[in-house]
Amino acid sequence: MSHWGRPIAVFALVLSTVGGMKATATVLSNTATGNSRLASEAIFSLKKSNIQLAQRVGECRAAARSTFIYQDRSTTNRIRALQSNEKVILAEAGGRDGWIAVSSPISGFVQTQDLKRCAEVSTLPARRNLCRQVIYEGVEGVAVREKPEISSSQVSTVFFGDRITLSNPPEFITDGMGREWTKLTDPSVGWMSNGIPARGDINLVACFQS
């Protein structure tokens, strides 16, 4: 090898090594950028999906899992259990803070993450929470009647704090006065008034433990 041959060979090796490192760094950089872009697109897609899920008053939604309708935009006061796939009607456009107002089957608020489109309702049977607790505080209690009518014969009475069991599947009927009737199987078979939900007047809430 000539006098200049060895230094030139070493210099070429150094260039080759540096070039390889630069190429590797470029590949890693491109990969990181690609992953970041994909993550951003996924987050945007999720946000867009959530926005589209709750957007128009009067639209139908269904419970994606067993959950509750709450009195306000917090998990403090449960007013009605929702079974998986049970349908609700939206009462506001878009919602806020992760909550959306509903007008049916009772007025209240549901977490948007617990809702899905009605077209996605499963045909599989769902486990039902049939326990309810009486919150009407009147000393006379609430009458359980043979039929969902105020003039129907009384079969028993339930009082504040009592737990009752709904029929399976649950049955709810709203009369001409806006009063919601609920069918019971325990402590006796019959119908009791759940008040007038549209006015925020209710006699039953979901049990915290069924």
Side-chain angles (χ1 to χ4, degrees):
M1 180 177 291
S2 68
H3 175 72
W4 295 103
R6 182 180 178 85
I8 291 174
V10 172
F11 181 66
L13 179 60
V14 170
L15 286 179
S16 176
T17 303
V18 172
M21 292 176 62
K22 183 177 181 181
T24 302
T26 301
V27 171
L28 291 175
S29 176
N30 289 341
T31 301
T33 301
N35 289 341
S36 177
R37 185 176 65 254
L38 289 175
S40 298
E41 290 175 353
I43 293 172
F44 175 77
S45 178
L46 180 60
K47 289 181 178 179
K48 183 178 180 181
S49 175
N50 287 339
I51 291 172
Q52 291 177 343
L53 185 59
Q55 57 186 357
R56 292 192 182 93
V57 175
E59 281 192 342
C60 175
R61 292 292 182 268
R65 59 191 65 82
S66 295
T67 185
F68 295 92
I69 297 176
Y70 296 88
Q71 188 172 356
D72 46 36
R73 298 179 202 271
S74 77
T75 56
T76 303
N77 297 314
R78 302 173 176 177
I79 58 176
R80 191 185 190 284
L82 279 176
Q83 312 307 322
S84 179
N85 293 328
E86 188 172 355
K87 296 178 181 179
V88 300
I89 301 299
L90 302 184
E92 65 178 349
R96 58 186 173 85
D97 301 328
W99 295 86
I100 186 76
V102 298
S103 59
S104 176
I106 190 173
S107 295
F109 298 87
V110 181
Q111 290 180 292
T112 54
Q113 66 182 13
D114 292 333
L115 297 178
K116 61 184 178 182
R117 297 187 183 280
C118 288
E120 300 171 14
V121 170
S122 171
T123 57
L124 297 176
R127 179 181 179 275
R128 300 180 183 276
N129 177 8
L130 303 175
C131 178
R132 298 292 185 274
Q133 188 165 6
V134 179
I135 60 171
Y136 178 74
E137 298 182 352
V139 295
E140 73 279 13
V142 181
V144 179
R145 302 183 182 278
E146 288 185 355
K147 299 177 181 180
E149 302 169 357
I150 197 69
S151 59
S152 181
S153 299
Q154 183 172 337
V155 296
S156 67
T157 307
V158 291
F159 298 91
F160 177 80
D162 285 351
R163 289 193 172 196
I164 60 94
T165 303
L166 303 182
S167 61
N168 189 10
E171 293 185 53
F172 302 95
I173 293 177
T174 302
D175 64 21
M177 300 296 293
R179 182 183 292 104
E180 181 181 73
W181 293 89
T182 304
K183 189 173 184 180
L184 315 184
T185 59
D186 186 71
S188 58
V189 177
W191 294 80
M192 71 166 284
S193 167
N194 186 34
I196 303 178
R199 299 179 185 172
D201 172 22
I202 57 172
N203 298 327
L204 294 171
V205 294
C207 298
F208 280 83
Q209 295 180 347
S210 57

